[in-house]
Amino acid sequence: FLALPAYQRLKSAMAEGTVAGIESIDIRWRFPLAPLRSGPFGLWMLRDPANLLLELGPHLFAFVADLVGPLSDIDLRLSKPITLPSGVTQHQGWHIRAKAGAVDVVLNLSLVEGAEDRSVEVRGVNAVARLDYGNDVLIIDRPNASDIVVNPLRAQLALAGQHLREGGRNAVRQLVSLNRKSPYGLGFRGSIRSFYAAVAGGALEARFSGASAVGVIAGIEAALAHLPAPVVQAQEPRNLGPARELVIGGTGFIGRALVCALVASGR
């Protein structure tokens, strides 16, 4: 996600002082993880609690490494445990607090069903920037000098205008490209473009360098140092007899409920 156009605009806003004097950064990955519900439960990232953060954590820690650098004073809290059929207990909620110099950093990883929120919020002394990296949208909330009566209206009009601009830009881009330039795809395109530019003789951007990757993994490993020992609960296999039902689309909303009902009834 470091090559998203909206992220580039965030970096420019910080470099130009539009968002200055950074006080805190909140990074959120609230996105359901289907394999936790429907398997396959033997996936590498589900075999051990640490693997889950190693799999998903780079998305969050890459922002940290690029925006503020190495973390210190890391604290990890886990929530919403779930025991998989493999016997491994995985936590669906990861809350990490840390510091990067004078900047407070919070990383939230939530894998439960619910509204999606993949965002980076940068709070400065003169503005608050919110990057929705799941949708390639950047909104900057800045104070205005209007009086107490006009201020709320002017502030909301400014935010509405930004939302309209961002939504229009993304809609036109998707239409013209026939849906080949989604936010996810744009991130890949930008990083690959940077790589080939370096191969052609240019300098590889620092955010995509090997040193940056090492820093990202170092931050994740520092957080995992606070992870409690994994819990594995042996489960007795259930003899359900021969299979006579086949559910097509068993990972969907209705399919998951149907599968649970069939298993509960002994089929």
Side-chain angles (χ1 to χ4, degrees):
F1 294 103
L2 295 186
L4 280 178
Y7 181 67
Q8 301 308 308
R9 296 196 295 274
L10 172 61
K11 291 291 294 290
S12 296
M14 295 173 66
E16 295 165 0
T18 304
V19 183
I22 307 305
E23 182 267 333
S24 65
I25 296 179
D26 288 8
I27 305 176
R28 307 177 188 94
W29 178 280
R30 299 183 181 277
F31 197 70
L33 184 64
L36 284 173
R37 312 286 184 275
S38 56
F41 301 106
L43 288 175
W44 176 83
M45 68 174 172
L46 299 183
R47 295 178 192 170
D48 186 279
N51 294 357
L52 201 58
L53 191 63
L54 288 167
E55 175 78 23
L56 301 175
H59 296 306
L60 289 73
F61 281 82
F63 285 123
V64 175
D66 189 50
L67 291 173
V68 291
L71 294 176
S72 61
D73 300 330
I74 295 177
D75 176 64
L76 169 65
R77 296 186 181 184
L78 303 174
S79 62
K80 301 178 177 65
I82 180 174
T83 301
L84 305 180
S86 60
V88 175
T89 296
Q90 288 282 8
H91 288 84
Q92 302 171 94
W94 296 65
H95 183 77
I96 301 169
R97 300 182 67 90
K99 286 186 174 295
V103 180
D104 293 324
V105 178
V106 177
L107 301 96
N108 273 305
L109 184 69
S110 177
L111 308 176
V112 299
E113 301 289 341
E116 174 188 344
D117 179 12
R118 289 182 289 177
S119 62
V120 177
E121 185 174 284
V122 180
R123 182 181 182 85
V125 296
N126 60 343
V128 177
R130 187 180 189 277
L131 166 69
D132 179 352
Y133 58 89
N135 295 295
D136 191 34
V137 170
L138 174 67
I139 303 297
I140 300 178
D141 188 2
R142 287 169 284 195
N144 62 72
S146 299
D147 60 46
I148 194 171
V149 176
V150 179
N151 179 288
L153 174 61
R154 184 178 173 188
Q156 294 307 311
L157 286 175
L159 294 176
Q162 292 182 71
H163 279 289
L164 182 61
R165 180 198 65 212
E166 295 286 296
R169 177 193 290 119
N170 288 342
V172 170
R173 183 170 58 202
Q174 288 290 77
L175 178 63
V176 172
S177 69
L178 299 179
N179 199 33
R180 289 178 296 179
K181 292 185 177 180
S182 67
Y184 193 60
L186 287 172
F188 278 104
R189 284 171 176 258
S191 58
I192 293 171
R193 187 183 304 113
S194 177
F195 170 78
Y196 279 108
V199 170
L204 185 64
E205 296 178 66
R207 56 189 163 157
F208 301 129
S209 68
S212 176
V214 170
V216 168
I217 297 302
I220 294 174
E221 290 180 337
L224 289 175
H226 300 272
L227 188 68
V231 176
V232 178
Q233 300 176 0
Q235 296 185 350
E236 291 293 330
R238 295 178 61 188
N239 181 15
L240 299 178
R244 298 184 182 278
E245 287 79 18
L246 172 63
V247 180
I248 302 299
T251 61
F253 176 75
I254 297 176
R256 289 201 301 270
L258 176 59
V259 169
C260 289
L262 288 171
V263 173
S265 65
R267 291 181 286 171

Coordinates of all heavy atoms in Angstrom, one line a residue, residues 153-227:
L153 N -20.3 24.6 9.8 CA -20.8 24.5 8.4 C -19.6 24.5 7.5 O -19.5 23.7 6.6 CB -21.8 25.6 8.1 CG -22.2 25.6 6.6 CD1 -23.0 24.3 6.2 CD2 -23.1 26.8 6.4
R154 N -18.7 25.4 7.6 CA -17.6 25.6 6.7 C -16.7 24.3 6.8 O -16.2 23.8 5.8 CB -16.8 26.8 7.1 CG -15.6 27.1 6.2 CD -14.9 28.4 6.5 NE -13.7 28.6 5.8 CZ -12.8 29.5 6.0 NH1 -13.0 30.4 7.0 NH2 -11.8 29.6 5.2
A155 N -16.5 23.8 8.0 CA -15.7 22.6 8.2 C -16.3 21.4 7.5 O -15.6 20.6 6.8 CB -15.5 22.3 9.7
Q156 N -17.6 21.2 7.6 CA -18.2 20.1 7.0 C -18.3 20.2 5.5 O -18.2 19.2 4.7 CB -19.6 19.8 7.6 CG -19.7 19.4 9.0 CD -18.8 18.2 9.3 OE1 -18.9 17.2 8.6 NE2 -17.9 18.3 10.3
L157 N -18.5 21.4 5.0 CA -18.5 21.6 3.5 C -17.1 21.3 2.9 O -17.0 20.8 1.9 CB -18.8 23.1 3.2 CG -20.3 23.5 3.4 CD1 -20.5 25.0 3.1 CD2 -21.2 22.7 2.4
A158 N -16.0 21.7 3.7 CA -14.7 21.4 3.2 C -14.5 19.9 3.2 O -13.9 19.3 2.2 CB -13.6 22.0 4.2
L159 N -14.9 19.1 4.2 CA -14.8 17.7 4.2 C -15.6 17.0 3.1 O -15.2 16.1 2.4 CB -15.2 17.1 5.5 CG -14.3 17.5 6.7 CD1 -14.9 16.9 8.0 CD2 -12.9 16.9 6.5
A160 N -16.9 17.6 2.9 CA -17.7 17.0 1.8 C -17.1 17.2 0.4 O -17.2 16.3 -0.4 CB -19.1 17.7 1.9
G161 N -16.5 18.4 0.2 CA -15.8 18.7 -1.0 C -14.7 17.7 -1.3 O -14.5 17.2 -2.4
Q162 N -13.9 17.4 -0.3 CA -12.8 16.4 -0.4 C -13.3 15.0 -0.7 O -12.8 14.3 -1.6 CB -12.0 16.4 0.8 CG -11.2 17.7 1.1 CD -10.3 17.6 2.3 OE1 -9.3 16.9 2.3 NE2 -10.7 18.2 3.4
H163 N -14.4 14.6 -0.1 CA -15.0 13.3 -0.3 C -15.5 13.2 -1.8 O -15.3 12.2 -2.5 CB -16.1 13.0 0.6 CG -15.6 12.5 2.0 ND1 -15.1 11.3 2.2 CD2 -15.7 13.1 3.2 CE1 -14.8 11.1 3.5 NE2 -15.1 12.2 4.1
L164 N -16.1 14.3 -2.2 CA -16.6 14.3 -3.6 C -15.5 14.2 -4.6 O -15.5 13.5 -5.6 CB -17.4 15.6 -3.8 CG -18.1 15.7 -5.2 CD1 -19.1 14.6 -5.5 CD2 -18.8 17.1 -5.3
R165 N -14.4 15.0 -4.3 CA -13.3 15.0 -5.2 C -12.6 13.6 -5.3 O -12.3 13.1 -6.4 CB -12.2 16.0 -4.8 CG -11.0 16.1 -5.6 CD -9.9 16.8 -4.9 NE -9.5 16.0 -3.7 CZ -9.0 16.6 -2.6 NH1 -9.0 17.9 -2.4 NH2 -8.6 15.8 -1.6
E166 N -12.4 13.0 -4.1 CA -11.7 11.7 -4.1 C -12.6 10.6 -4.7 O -12.1 9.8 -5.5 CB -11.4 11.3 -2.6 CG -10.5 12.2 -1.9 CD -9.0 12.0 -2.4 OE1 -8.5 10.9 -2.1 OE2 -8.5 12.9 -2.9
G167 N -13.9 10.6 -4.4 CA -14.8 9.6 -5.0 C -14.9 9.8 -6.5 O -14.9 8.8 -7.3
G168 N -15.0 11.0 -7.0 CA -15.0 11.3 -8.5 C -13.8 10.8 -9.2 O -13.8 10.2 -10.2
R169 N -12.6 11.1 -8.6 CA -11.3 10.7 -9.2 C -11.2 9.2 -9.3 O -10.9 8.7 -10.3 CB -10.1 11.2 -8.3 CG -8.8 10.8 -8.9 CD -7.7 11.0 -7.9 NE -7.4 12.4 -7.7 CZ -7.5 13.1 -6.6 NH1 -7.9 12.5 -5.5 NH2 -7.2 14.4 -6.5
N170 N -11.6 8.5 -8.2 CA -11.5 7.0 -8.2 C -12.5 6.4 -9.2 O -12.2 5.4 -9.9 CB -11.8 6.5 -6.8 CG -10.6 6.7 -5.9 OD1 -9.5 7.1 -6.4 ND2 -10.8 6.6 -4.6
A171 N -13.7 7.0 -9.3 CA -14.7 6.5 -10.2 C -14.3 6.6 -11.7 O -14.4 5.7 -12.5 CB -16.1 7.2 -10.0
V172 N -13.8 7.8 -12.0 CA -13.3 8.0 -13.4 C -12.1 7.1 -13.7 O -12.1 6.5 -14.8 CB -12.9 9.5 -13.6 CG1 -12.2 9.7 -14.9 CG2 -14.1 10.4 -13.5
R173 N -11.2 6.9 -12.8 CA -10.1 6.1 -13.0 C -10.5 4.6 -13.3 O -10.0 3.9 -14.2 CB -9.1 6.1 -11.8 CG -7.8 5.3 -12.0 CD -6.8 5.6 -10.9 NE -7.4 5.4 -9.6 CZ -6.9 6.0 -8.5 NH1 -5.9 6.8 -8.6 NH2 -7.5 5.7 -7.3
Q174 N -11.5 4.1 -12.5 CA -11.9 2.8 -12.6 C -12.7 2.6 -13.9 O -12.6 1.6 -14.6 CB -12.9 2.4 -11.4 CG -12.1 2.2 -10.1 CD -11.3 0.9 -10.1 OE1 -10.2 0.9 -10.7 NE2 -11.8 -0.1 -9.5
L175 N -13.5 3.6 -14.3 CA -14.3 3.5 -15.5 C -13.4 3.5 -16.7 O -13.5 2.7 -17.6 CB -15.2 4.7 -15.6 CG -16.1 4.8 -16.9 CD1 -17.0 3.6 -16.9 CD2 -16.9 6.1 -16.9
V176 N -12.4 4.4 -16.8 CA -11.5 4.5 -17.9 C -10.6 3.3 -18.1 O -10.3 2.8 -19.2 CB -10.6 5.8 -17.8 CG1 -9.6 5.8 -18.9 CG2 -11.5 7.0 -17.9
S177 N -10.2 2.7 -16.9 CA -9.3 1.5 -17.0 C -10.1 0.2 -17.0 O -9.5 -0.9 -17.0 CB -8.4 1.5 -15.7 OG -9.2 1.3 -14.5
L178 N -11.4 0.3 -17.0 CA -12.3 -0.9 -17.0 C -11.9 -1.8 -15.8 O -11.7 -3.0 -15.9 CB -12.1 -1.8 -18.3 CG -12.5 -1.0 -19.6 CD1 -12.3 -1.9 -20.8 CD2 -14.0 -0.6 -19.5
N179 N -11.8 -1.1 -14.6 CA -11.6 -1.8 -13.3 C -10.3 -2.5 -13.2 O -10.1 -3.4 -12.4 CB -12.8 -2.8 -13.1 CG -12.9 -3.1 -11.6 OD1 -12.6 -2.3 -10.7 ND2 -13.2 -4.4 -11.3
R180 N -9.3 -2.0 -14.0 CA -8.0 -2.6 -13.9 C -7.1 -1.8 -12.9 O -5.9 -2.1 -12.8 CB -7.3 -2.7 -15.3 CG -8.0 -3.8 -16.1 CD -7.3 -3.8 -17.5 NE -7.6 -2.5 -18.2 CZ -7.1 -2.3 -19.4 NH1 -6.4 -3.2 -20.1 NH2 -7.3 -1.1 -20.0
K181 N -7.6 -0.7 -12.4 CA -6.8 0.1 -11.5 C -7.5 0.3 -10.1 O -7.7 1.4 -9.7 CB -6.5 1.5 -12.1 CG -5.6 1.4 -13.4 CD -5.2 2.8 -13.9 CE -4.2 2.6 -15.1 NZ -3.9 4.0 -15.6
S182 N -7.7 -0.8 -9.5 CA -8.3 -0.8 -8.1 C -7.2 -0.3 -7.2 O -6.0 -0.3 -7.5 CB -8.7 -2.2 -7.7 OG -7.6 -3.0 -7.6
P183 N -7.6 0.2 -6.0 CA -6.5 0.6 -5.0 C -5.5 -0.5 -4.8 O -4.3 -0.2 -4.7 CB -7.3 0.9 -3.8 CG -8.6 1.4 -4.3 CD -8.9 0.5 -5.5
Y184 N -5.9 -1.7 -4.6 CA -5.0 -2.9 -4.4 C -4.1 -3.0 -5.6 O -2.8 -3.2 -5.4 CB -5.8 -4.1 -4.2 CG -5.0 -5.3 -3.6 CD1 -4.4 -5.2 -2.4 CD2 -4.9 -6.5 -4.4 CE1 -3.7 -6.3 -1.9 CE2 -4.2 -7.6 -3.8 CZ -3.6 -7.5 -2.6 OH -2.9 -8.5 -2.1
G185 N -4.6 -2.9 -6.8 CA -3.7 -3.0 -8.0 C -2.8 -1.9 -8.1 O -1.6 -2.0 -8.6
L186 N -3.2 -0.7 -7.8 CA -2.4 0.5 -7.9 C -1.2 0.4 -7.0 O -0.1 0.9 -7.3 CB -3.2 1.8 -7.6 CG -4.2 2.2 -8.7 CD1 -5.0 3.4 -8.1 CD2 -3.5 2.7 -9.9
G187 N -1.4 -0.2 -5.8 CA -0.2 -0.4 -4.9 C 0.8 -1.2 -5.5 O 2.0 -0.9 -5.5
F188 N 0.4 -2.3 -6.2 CA 1.4 -3.2 -6.8 C 2.0 -2.5 -8.0 O 3.3 -2.6 -8.2 CB 0.7 -4.5 -7.3 CG 0.5 -5.5 -6.3 CD1 -0.8 -5.7 -5.7 CD2 1.6 -6.3 -5.9 CE1 -0.9 -6.7 -4.7 CE2 1.4 -7.3 -4.9 CZ 0.2 -7.5 -4.3
R189 N 1.2 -1.8 -8.8 CA 1.8 -1.1 -10.0 C 2.9 -0.1 -9.6 O 4.0 -0.1 -10.2 CB 0.7 -0.4 -10.7 CG -0.2 -1.2 -11.5 CD -1.4 -0.4 -12.0 NE -2.3 -1.2 -12.9 CZ -2.3 -1.0 -14.2 NH1 -1.5 -0.2 -14.8 NH2 -3.1 -1.7 -15.0
G190 N 2.6 0.6 -8.5 CA 3.6 1.6 -8.1 C 4.9 1.0 -7.6 O 6.0 1.5 -7.9
S191 N 4.8 -0.1 -6.8 CA 6.0 -0.7 -6.3 C 6.8 -1.4 -7.4 O 8.0 -1.3 -7.4 CB 5.7 -1.7 -5.2 OG 4.8 -2.7 -5.6
I192 N 6.1 -2.0 -8.3 CA 6.8 -2.7 -9.4 C 7.5 -1.6 -10.3 O 8.6 -1.8 -10.8 CB 5.8 -3.5 -10.2 CG1 5.3 -4.7 -9.4 CG2 6.4 -4.1 -11.5 CD1 4.2 -5.5 -10.0
R193 N 6.8 -0.5 -10.6 CA 7.4 0.5 -11.4 C 8.6 1.1 -10.7 O 9.6 1.3 -11.4 CB 6.3 1.7 -11.5 CG 6.8 2.8 -12.5 CD 5.7 3.9 -12.5 NE 4.4 3.4 -12.9 CZ 3.4 3.4 -12.0 NH1 3.5 3.9 -10.8 NH2 2.2 2.9 -12.4
S194 N 8.6 1.2 -9.4 CA 9.8 1.7 -8.7 C 11.0 0.7 -8.8 O 12.1 1.1 -9.0 CB 9.5 1.9 -7.2 OG 10.6 2.3 -6.5
F195 N 10.7 -0.6 -8.8 CA 11.7 -1.6 -8.9 C 12.4 -1.6 -10.3 O 13.6 -1.6 -10.4 CB 11.1 -3.0 -8.6 CG 12.0 -4.1 -9.0 CD1 13.0 -4.5 -8.1 CD2 11.8 -4.8 -10.2 CE1 13.8 -5.6 -8.4 CE2 12.7 -5.9 -10.5 CZ 13.7 -6.3 -9.6
Y196 N 11.6 -1.5 -11.3 CA 12.1 -1.5 -12.7 C 12.9 -0.2 -13.0 O 13.8 -0.2 -13.8 CB 11.1 -1.8 -13.7 CG 10.8 -3.3 -13.8 CD1 9.6 -3.8 -13.3 CD2 11.7 -4.2 -14.3 CE1 9.3 -5.2 -13.4 CE2 11.5 -5.5 -14.4 CZ 10.3 -6.0 -13.9 OH 10.0 -7.4 -14.0
A197 N 12.4 0.9 -12.3 CA 13.2 2.1 -12.5 C 14.6 2.0 -11.9 O 15.5 2.5 -12.5 CB 12.4 3.3 -11.9
A198 N 14.7 1.3 -10.8 CA 16.0 1.1 -10.2 C 16.8 0.1 -11.0 O 18.0 0.3 -11.2 CB 15.8 0.5 -8.8
V199 N 16.2 -0.9 -11.6 CA 16.9 -1.8 -12.5 C 17.5 -1.1 -13.7 O 18.6 -1.4 -14.1 CB 16.0 -3.0 -12.9 CG1 16.7 -3.8 -14.0 CG2 15.6 -3.8 -11.7
A200 N 16.7 -0.1 -14.1 CA 17.2 0.7 -15.3 C 18.3 1.7 -15.0 O 18.7 2.4 -15.9 CB 16.0 1.4 -15.9
G201 N 18.7 1.8 -13.8 CA 19.8 2.7 -13.4 C 19.4 3.7 -12.4 O 20.3 4.5 -12.0
G202 N 18.2 3.8 -12.0 CA 17.8 4.8 -11.0 C 18.1 4.3 -9.6 O 18.6 3.2 -9.4
A203 N 17.8 5.1 -8.6 CA 17.9 4.7 -7.2 C 16.6 4.1 -6.7 O 15.5 4.7 -6.9 CB 18.4 5.9 -6.4
L204 N 16.7 3.0 -6.0 CA 15.5 2.4 -5.4 C 15.0 3.2 -4.3 O 15.8 3.7 -3.4 CB 15.8 1.0 -4.9 CG 14.6 0.2 -4.4 CD1 13.6 -0.1 -5.5 CD2 15.1 -1.2 -3.8
E205 N 13.7 3.5 -4.3 CA 13.1 4.4 -3.2 C 13.3 3.7 -1.9 O 13.2 2.5 -1.8 CB 11.6 4.6 -3.5 CG 11.4 5.4 -4.8 CD 9.9 5.5 -5.0 OE1 9.2 6.2 -4.2 OE2 9.4 5.0 -6.0
A206 N 13.6 4.5 -0.9 CA 14.0 3.9 0.4 C 12.9 3.1 1.0 O 13.1 2.1 1.7 CB 14.3 5.1 1.4
R207 N 11.6 3.4 0.7 CA 10.5 2.6 1.3 C 10.4 1.2 0.8 O 9.8 0.3 1.4 CB 9.2 3.4 1.1 CG 8.9 3.6 -0.4 CD 7.7 4.5 -0.6 NE 7.8 5.1 -2.0 CZ 6.7 5.5 -2.6 NH1 5.5 5.5 -2.0 NH2 6.8 6.0 -3.8
F208 N 11.0 1.0 -0.4 CA 11.0 -0.3 -1.0 C 12.3 -1.1 -0.9 O 12.5 -2.1 -1.5 CB 10.6 -0.3 -2.5 CG 9.3 0.4 -2.7 CD1 9.1 1.4 -3.6 CD2 8.2 -0.1 -2.1 CE1 7.9 2.0 -3.9 CE2 6.9 0.5 -2.3 CZ 6.8 1.5 -3.2
S209 N 13.2 -0.5 -0.1 CA 14.6 -1.1 0.0 C 14.6 -2.3 0.9 O 13.7 -2.5 1.7 CB 15.6 0.0 0.5 OG 15.3 0.3 1.8
G210 N 15.7 -3.0 0.8 CA 15.9 -4.2 1.7 C 16.0 -3.7 3.2 O 15.5 -4.4 4.1
A211 N 16.7 -2.6 3.4 CA 16.8 -2.1 4.7 C 15.5 -1.7 5.3 O 15.2 -2.0 6.5 CB 17.7 -0.8 4.7
S212 N 14.6 -1.2 4.5 CA 13.2 -0.9 5.0 C 12.5 -2.2 5.4 O 11.8 -2.3 6.4 CB 12.4 -0.1 3.9 OG 11.1 0.1 4.4
A213 N 12.6 -3.2 4.5 CA 12.0 -4.5 4.8 C 12.5 -5.1 6.1 O 11.7 -5.6 6.9 CB 12.2 -5.5 3.6
V214 N 13.8 -5.0 6.3 CA 14.4 -5.5 7.6 C 13.8 -4.8 8.8 O 13.5 -5.3 9.8 CB 15.9 -5.4 7.5 CG1 16.5 -5.7 8.9 CG2 16.5 -6.4 6.5
G215 N 13.6 -3.4 8.6 CA 13.1 -2.6 9.7 C 11.6 -3.0 10.0 O 11.2 -3.0 11.2
V216 N 10.9 -3.3 9.0 CA 9.5 -3.7 9.2 C 9.4 -5.0 10.0 O 8.6 -5.1 11.0 CB 8.8 -3.9 7.8 CG1 7.4 -4.6 8.0 CG2 8.6 -2.6 7.1
I217 N 10.2 -6.0 9.6 CA 10.2 -7.3 10.3 C 10.7 -7.2 11.7 O 10.3 -7.8 12.6 CB 11.0 -8.4 9.5 CG1 10.3 -8.6 8.1 CG2 11.0 -9.7 10.2 CD1 8.8 -9.0 8.2
A218 N 11.7 -6.3 11.9 CA 12.2 -6.1 13.2 C 11.2 -5.5 14.1 O 11.1 -5.9 15.3 CB 13.4 -5.1 13.2
G219 N 10.3 -4.6 13.6 CA 9.2 -4.1 14.4 C 8.2 -5.2 14.8 O 7.7 -5.2 15.9
I220 N 7.9 -6.0 13.8 CA 7.0 -7.1 14.1 C 7.5 -8.1 15.1 O 6.8 -8.5 16.1 CB 6.6 -7.9 12.8 CG1 5.9 -6.9 11.9 CG2 5.8 -9.1 13.1 CD1 5.6 -7.5 10.5
E221 N 8.8 -8.4 15.0 CA 9.4 -9.4 15.9 C 9.5 -8.8 17.3 O 9.3 -9.5 18.3 CB 10.8 -9.8 15.4 CG 10.8 -10.7 14.2 CD 12.1 -11.1 13.7 OE1 13.1 -10.3 14.0 OE2 12.3 -12.1 13.0
A222 N 9.7 -7.5 17.4 CA 9.7 -6.8 18.7 C 8.3 -6.9 19.4 O 8.2 -7.1 20.6 CB 10.1 -5.3 18.6
A223 N 7.2 -6.8 18.6 CA 5.9 -6.9 19.1 C 5.6 -8.4 19.5 O 5.0 -8.6 20.6 CB 4.9 -6.5 18.1
L224 N 6.1 -9.3 18.7 CA 5.9 -10.7 19.0 C 6.6 -11.2 20.3 O 6.3 -12.2 20.8 CB 6.3 -11.6 17.8 CG 5.4 -11.5 16.6 CD1 6.0 -12.3 15.4 CD2 4.0 -12.0 16.9
A225 N 7.6 -10.4 20.7 CA 8.3 -10.8 21.9 C 7.4 -10.7 23.1 O 7.7 -11.3 24.2 CB 9.5 -9.9 22.1
H226 N 6.3 -10.0 23.0 CA 5.3 -9.9 24.1 C 4.2 -10.9 23.9 O 3.2 -10.8 24.7 CB 4.7 -8.4 24.1 CG 5.8 -7.4 24.3 ND1 6.2 -6.9 25.5 CD2 6.5 -6.7 23.4 CE1 7.1 -6.0 25.4 NE2 7.3 -5.8 24.1
L227 N 4.3 -11.7 23.0 CA 3.2 -12.7 22.7 C 3.3 -13.8 23.7 O 4.3 -14.4 23.9 CB 3.3 -13.2 21.3 CG 2.2 -14.1 20.8 CD1 0.9 -13.3 20.6 CD2 2.6 -14.8 19.5

